[in-house]
Amino acid sequence: MSKNAKHFSIVGVAIAIVTYLVYFILSTFFFELPEAASAEATIIDALFNGHYILIAFLFAIVVVPLVYSIVVFRQQEGDETDAPHIHENTVLEIAWTVLPIFLVIGFGVWGVSSYNQVIASEPDEVTIRVWGFKWDWLFYYPEHDNINDPALVLQEGVPVKLEMQSTDVIHAFWVPKFRVKQDVFPYDVENQDLNFGNADYSPDEVFYEPQVIRFTPVVEGVYRVRCAEICGTNHYAMLANVFVLSPSNYQKWLDGEFLLPPDPNQGNSQIQDGVDTYLLELERFDINTGYTPPPDPFAVPEAEAGEDG
Amino acid sequence: MKYFLTSALTKGLVGQILTFIVSYGLIRNFRKTVSGWEVPAPELSGWQAPYDEPAMVLATIISLFGFLLACGVVSDWLKMMAGQKPHLKHGAQGKPEWTRYINIDVNHKVIGIQYGLNSIFILLVGGLLAILFRLELALPGLQFLQDGSQYNTLFSAHGIIMIAAIFAGVGAMTNYLGPVLIGASDMSFPRLNAFSYWVGVPSAVILLAGIFMGGWDTGWVGYPTHSTTTQMIGVQMFLLGFYLNGFSSIASGLNMVVTAVYMRAKGMSYFRMPIFVWAAVAASILQATTTQTVGVALTMVVAQRTLGMNFFTPVISPELLAAGVPAGDPILFQHIFWFYSHPAVYVWILPGLGIISELLPVFTRKPLFGYKWIALSSIGIALVGMLVWAHHMLTSSMPPAWKIPFMLSTLLVAVPTGVKFFSWLATIWEGKMRFPTPMLFVLGAISVFLLGGLSGPILGTIATDMHLHDTYFVVGHFHATIFGGFVFPFFAAIYYWFPKITGKMYDELLGKIHFWIMVPGFWVMSLLQMRVGVLGMRRRIADYGSDLGIQVEHALITVATLAIGWSILIMLYNLITSARKEELAPENPWESRSPEFLAPSPLPEFNYLAPIEVVGEPYDYGLEGATYAVVPTPAGD
Ligand code: HEM
Ligand SMILES: [Cu+2]
Ligand SMILES: [Cu+2]
């Protein structure tokens, strides 16, 4: 018995150490999440953190006794006898069936409440309509005369509600730094020729309910929508830029004074050189001042002429 | 060569190809002459070819019958219908022994080996495809593939081909081991057993042909409305091959359940069956009862594509609505598909977990801890597994209130899975462990299955799955469950029973090299897959862009994949050379208490020379004088 007590105390201490180490590795480096750029990301990341603790603990209580047995109890040189005949222990078995149920209930409750917070609507949210199609995105701003843009432009700190639909197959809206993802279901495959500029667009025409996703962007910057549901040839390149602007720049953008880079995927072109094409467009973009178009190649480049001389 | 050309395999393949060509030609020309219809040239891309799609579908279905009739697996049944009483043929029919493996044979061990060879062959094909697209992904940008369609065909084919390989591997383990472990001479329905194997061959051919006949880009899930509208018409071959494989599953599942119920040796009560049999029965119940639903889902897609029946397209065109055409719903497919396909993942892992439980006592020299709990946890996993299907749809258009019950049932799977882990640990604790290759693979399997299990709950809570769904995190998760629950236990079983199957011993050093390359290689691969998924790498993409900062990880994943590929070649070399050597293996190399080691190796045609009798518990290692099974000496001896 005292021998067993020794084994158990070593294992117990090792479990505590390994739990901490694994948790440390997961949360600070290995499974470190991308920047949290939405209010929802904070809620979701807390749940992620809870899961990391759980993973670290469960990893330790399995791996430590396993490795300990391999090192300590393994067959010794020349010992051909069998091990002790221990084949059941009802108390233990009931314990490891019942105790995990409490963990399940705990994570179940946390899971429900975090989900409810993530999908909750805000009173002052702005609605934007989103069309996904092979293989690009288009965003409508009904509160601003239905202007539309191939990029998603948001105002820092203002909650948005996206009403999303697809014209062909299932796509999925995902911005990793906002964490949230929602599949975009098709509503009218017969009628591929949607008039995207149609200002009379009304939700009553829609037979299939739009898919809704809500979030509040909280950090100014450039992000990327990545289609997350396989949708055919150029699925990998079905991207769109997201610009989260400060309130003053957002107003300027509405007034046409804040320029955005051209969408590399516009007109459904094939992105033959891979998705890095998107990065090239951003080289001349600054989140504070907007996009500077490249100089007209036929104009006399004054600055350069000066440098030469 | 002569035997090869006249084998059932060759006849079946020739029959399948000929019936396909002839019926495709006839149907196509019929359509052309009767309706003046011309094959419209689709937008060609990648490996697409302009086939007449409806003719291709019909010809493919007919080609299955071509295979079955030509190879002869149904001829006994045809004779029975004609009123004859054909006898079961045993043995090689005067040909060399090896020809049994390429001919119709009703012996469960031959069928088990056939499944095994088939599984390894398909694994190699699927693995080759994986290596191809891993090379493409090693660097950002498109390297050697021309466009996304080629990439999509590669990963889609990889997925479903690997799944076919897993089903064949499960068939190998249950068919070879099931009857032997319960002391039976064969399965309950030997002809049905042969049919289950042989129907899998033409379906694998159809899946492989799909790569070249148009390719497809739907993944193995084939969600409408993408699968109903894609121009890559190889999708039809995928749907049909997947569908036809289901016959194999249903028939072999039924067969195994009946065998376990009716064919057990004298004295073998249910709770004295070797633990693997429990796992095989749980998997078989799932196979026999849920495969039908995926059949329905796949048929509906074929019907929508070929016959224009609208199940999945939400039409709103007012004229059509007025004309009474109801709108379809794409989510319908996802429900029926996952109602089968979640239980299917348990069909893949339960037998492997059974192998782990079966081998641990032998190599720890201790009884299996909590036999009854492990046995019942297999049934528990199977039952809970039927209630969780919509956790694959946590970001779909399903209403939020429906997602929550599926989140809770998914978390509940952790309970019976936990029972298995803790019982294994209690078996290992104080065990006098020995580490030959099969035991190494058992331990490797436990460690890898742990990775898979631990990454499950985080996918089950909706808020975290909103980030992780359809990313490489999921790819890492399910590869870990499948390698830990199927691939590594399958390899452990191959090494462990190799002396029983061939009568020779494998090479221990090569076995250990295989292990020490493959298991660490797999850890690297799957952990890094999870990492890039957390960082934003989507599933099923041909190019990821350098802005995610995951190039180093991707390069390492590719290196690990190549290492895994090489280690498999080492295993094949080991098994082939060892089977050919002269020296015989010891009678009971593992000092196992299991009944199959009471019989000679390789096992005789009917397994045991006389019916065995069970007189004790299966895993009483360390109990003085305990016996599990005895072969009663025939009277008068
Ligand atoms: C036990 C053996 C298991 C196997 C063989 C397995 C297999 C798989 C496979 C193949 C997928 C990917 C499906 C696809 O989208 O193509 C998957 C996804 C998933 N698995 Fe498992 N799994 C297992 C255990 C678990 C456990 C224990 C949990 C949770 C407690 C779990 C939760 C999930 C969830 C939630 C998804 C969907 C994730 C997503 O698509 O976002 N799985 N699993
Ligand atoms: Cu898409
Ligand atoms: Cu599932």
Side-chain angles (χ1 to χ4, degrees), chain A residues 31-46 48 52 118 173-182 213-215 223, chain B residues 395 462-469 471 534-536:
Chain A
F31 283 171
E32 199 195 358
L33 288 150
E35 178 193 9
S38 75
E40 285 64 25
T42 319
I43 302 162
I44 294 178
D45 290 2
F48 263 104
Y52 291 169
V118 167
F173 176 96
W174 182 40
V175 180
K177 288 182 181 171
F178 298 159
R179 302 291 184 275
V180 286
K181 183 182 290 121
Q182 172 64 49
I213 195 164
R214 296 180 160 91
F215 57 92
Y223 307 91
Chain B
T395 66
I462 309 170
T464 41
D465 189 52
M466 284 172 90
H467 182 59
L468 297 175
H469 176 73
T471 65
V534 170
L535 289 175

Side-chain angles (χ1 to χ4, degrees), chain B residues 338 342 345 388-389 391-392:
Chain B
W338 287 112
H342 188 82
V345 306
V388 301
W389 74 89
H391 68 200
H392 298 268

